[in-house]
Amino acid sequence: MTIKLNPDQSRVLNWRIKSGGVAGVIGPAGCGKTTTGSFLAVKMICEGYAKNVLLVAFTNSAANEFARELSMVLGPEGSKFLCVRSGYAPGADPRLPIPFSNNIELVRAKKIVICTTQSLKRLSASIRFENMIIDEAGIERLEHLLSPFALGINQLGIHLIKENISYEANNIIELASKCGIVATVVGDPKQSRPIGLADYDLSAMEWVLKCARYDTLYTTHRLPDKLAMLVDEFADYGGLNSSPEIASRRFEAIHDIDENFIEILNPEVITWVNLNGNEMMAGPSSWYNEVEAKACVRICCELKRVAPSKSISIVTRYTEQRRTILKYLQHLDIESRVLTTTGALGTQADIVIFSLVRNNPERLVGALGSLQDLNVAISRSKEKLIIVGSFEMMLNGVTSSYNLNPRHKQNFPQKLARLVDKKYGMVVEAPKILYK
């Protein structure tokens, strides 16, 4: 094996090897949820704890991450021999050594099967898996969390009828555990969206944590020290820390930085560029901010010039802002990833530019104020986070989450603004060039 587990991952691995039923593993950004799940699958098979294991993810990109980790752990030949990727062929990464197939006999012959939630129906109802690992990221409907359970070794209805057992269970997850299903759900309740329509509904991961045992990974291999501390205090993880080898990682330019951008591209890990552009409404639920969009593109251009090898992502809560930023990037023939907070789940980049968008006299922050969206946006960066938008708006804004959510009685935009300003970063005024 070419990957070494940290103590948190080893503890979780040993716990899940020795325990059955349904359980949760909380993994904040960069803590190796996918790595832990992949190692668990390999250990189950190679040490005889299970005859077969199903790895399920909601998106093709997340399923490919499982496949990529398995390829690294097992090597090209081992992963080709033991694993198969099933489901939607165009969504599978052809560069990986793990073969793709929907042939039931071939799938049944393999020890580790990787599939997306939506493609589970392609698997035969006659296939049963002794162990399952489910990536919760992106799940917004309860049935998508529960659907893999139908492929557990003891299908619920059949098992109850055959054994003639009547269990007292308050929830379906507890019932699944009592009926012999073994599943590990990996995810982060502080990055996952609610599975209902309201902000205060539980996310899929919160349902698992409410009904099952769980453990938490605390060591991030993505976020440098100050960013890890910001995310930890912002989302109340209770101990998130950087691994020693990346704690001191910082952004470094290889060319001289233009004087207009020196304060923005300073050595600090976190910089908030205080910019007062006007928000504009696009349809009933999306917003855009032309001034911010142009500013993000100008910052991206300077980054491409002074550090051409660095990966850059621009993240925003709003689909219309994403379109606006892409439009300006295309005009300048610049390639850079532009993601909504939903699309940013599971991604990372050396530098992340976060466009806030909202800025109005009423100080209504709206959906931008959710813990999950803000937490996703600030936890994608490996070297530097640049927040672009009105600092005063976030510091004094009113959010729907603050008014409606009885479980999260905090004003998260205000909390983020205070933590950046007072403890973990710096706020700089936008130079005039960003308003042009």
Side-chain angles (χ1 to χ4, degrees):
M1 296 183 182
T2 58
I3 305 173
K4 185 178 179 180
L5 296 180
N6 64 42
D8 280 347
Q9 293 169 323
S10 297
R11 183 190 69 249
V12 168
L13 197 71
N14 292 330
W15 165 55
R16 287 308 291 150
I17 286 289
K18 296 173 183 177
S19 61
V22 180
V25 175
I26 300 173
C31 285
K33 298 182 289 293
T34 304
T35 300
T36 304
S38 301
F39 259 93
L40 179 59
V42 170
K43 191 174 179 69
M44 287 280 183
I45 295 300
C46 293
E47 298 185 11
Y49 292 101
K51 293 179 180 178
N52 58 6
V53 178
L54 173 66
L55 283 82
V56 186
F58 186 68
T59 64
N60 278 295
S61 60
N64 289 335
E65 284 302 312
F66 269 137
R68 187 171 292 107
E69 290 285 343
L70 287 167
S71 300
M72 294 174 66
V73 174
L74 293 167
E77 293 303 316
S79 57
K80 187 183 298 184
F81 178 73
L82 287 175
C83 308
V84 65
R85 171 79 153 86
S86 186
Y88 179 59
D93 189 341
R95 298 169 296 179
L96 299 175
I98 294 175
F100 178 91
S101 179
N102 284 322
N103 180 283
I104 293 303
E105 292 308 315
L106 191 151
V107 171
R108 186 182 282 114
K110 295 293 184 178
K111 298 295 185 182
I112 300 175
V113 179
I114 308 113
C115 188
T116 62
T117 309
Q118 301 281 26
S119 297
L120 286 174
K121 57 188 176 185
R122 296 174 185 263
L123 298 179
S124 170
S126 63
I127 299 179
R128 293 287 171 262
F129 292 93
E130 292 191 356
N131 204 293
M132 288 174 282
I133 297 158
I134 304 167
D135 185 347
E136 172 268 354
I139 291 178
E140 294 184 14
R141 294 170 61 182
L142 187 57
E143 56 264 38
H144 291 155
L145 172 67
L146 300 177
S147 56
F149 292 173
L151 297 173
I153 190 168
N154 290 320
Q155 194 172 12
L156 294 180
I158 296 173
H159 183 68
L160 287 172
I161 293 169
K162 282 186 177 180
E163 303 298 332
N164 194 26
I165 296 173
S166 175
Y167 289 122
E168 291 184 6
N170 295 323
N171 59 77
I172 196 167
I173 292 176
E174 182 184 347
L175 180 61
S177 295
K178 288 185 176 181
C179 292
I181 290 175
V182 182
T184 302
V185 183
V186 297
D188 183 357
K190 294 174 180 180
Q191 295 187 58
S192 306
R193 290 182 178 277
I195 57 176
L197 296 177
D199 288 344
Y200 49 82
D201 286 336
L202 296 176
S203 67
M205 193 65 191
E206 285 173 315
W207 274 105
V208 174
L209 304 183
K210 179 181 178 182
C211 307
R213 298 162 297 161
Y214 63 91
D215 200 348
T216 303
L217 302 169
Y218 286 109
T219 304
T220 175
H221 296 267
R222 176 192 304 163
L223 309 176
D225 48 11
K226 285 192 175 181
L227 197 47
M229 289 187 283
L230 169 67
V231 172
D232 181 52
E233 188 167 350
F234 173 73
D236 293 317
Y237 284 113
L240 180 65
N241 61 86
S242 297
S243 62
E245 61 269 21
I246 63 98
S248 60
R249 189 166 56 197
R250 298 292 187 270
F251 165 73
E252 292 183 9
I254 63 171
H255 300 297
D256 290 339
I257 300 171
D258 183 284
E259 62 179 7
N260 291 297
F261 295 91
I262 287 176
E263 279 198 312
I264 298 172
L265 304 185
N266 61 69
E268 287 284 343
V269 176
I270 307 151
T271 303
W272 190 311
V273 183
N274 184 29
L275 182 79
N276 285 296
N278 295 319
E279 68 177 39
M280 300 292 288
M281 195 170 190
S285 60
S286 196
W287 302 83
Y288 69 100
N289 188 316
E290 288 270 0
V291 172
E292 266 188 41
K294 291 177 181 178
C296 289
V297 171
R298 287 193 172 100
I299 294 169
C300 185
C301 287
E302 182 65 8
L303 284 166
K304 290 282 187 182
R305 187 184 69 80
V306 301
S309 65
K310 299 296 184 182
S311 59
I312 304 168
S313 288
I314 303 175
V315 178
T316 180
R317 170 62 176 79
Y318 299 101
T319 303
E320 191 60 33
Q321 182 72 347
R322 177 178 179 271
R323 291 195 192 102
T324 306
I325 293 169
L326 280 171
K327 176 183 68 176
Y328 289 120
L329 285 172
Q330 289 163 0
H331 285 170
L332 297 173
D333 197 27
I334 297 172
E335 288 189 12
S336 185
R337 280 197 302 183
V338 185
L339 306 164
T340 62
T341 46
T342 301
L345 268 173
T347 69
Q348 61 182 9
D350 294 324
I351 304 143
V352 169
I353 303 169
F354 176 28
S355 174
L356 296 172
V357 179
R358 298 305 301 269
N359 190 18
N360 55 73
E362 296 78 20
R363 296 292 179 258
L364 298 176
V365 177
L368 174 64
S370 75
L371 165 65
Q372 289 83 0
D373 284 303
L374 290 171
N375 193 25
V376 168
I378 67 174
S379 61
R380 304 300 99 196
S381 174
K382 295 165 64 178
E383 295 183 7
K384 187 167 183 66
L385 169 67
I386 302 171
I387 302 171
V388 180
S390 172
F391 179 80
E392 196 272 337
M393 173 75 183
M394 296 299 112
L395 187 64
N396 299 303
V398 178
T399 75
S400 56
S401 295
Y402 180 67
N403 289 330
L404 296 175
N405 194 334
R407 297 181 297 112
H408 296 147
K409 293 183 178 179
Q410 298 185 60
N411 186 320
F412 288 106
Q414 182 182 85
K415 184 177 184 181
L416 177 61
R418 287 176 173 171
L419 287 173
V420 171
D421 185 35
K422 303 297 184 184
K423 296 184 73 172
Y424 300 116
M426 62 184 298
V427 179
V428 302
E429 292 300 319
K432 292 180 180 179
I433 194 172
L434 293 187
Y435 285 97
K436 293 181 179 178

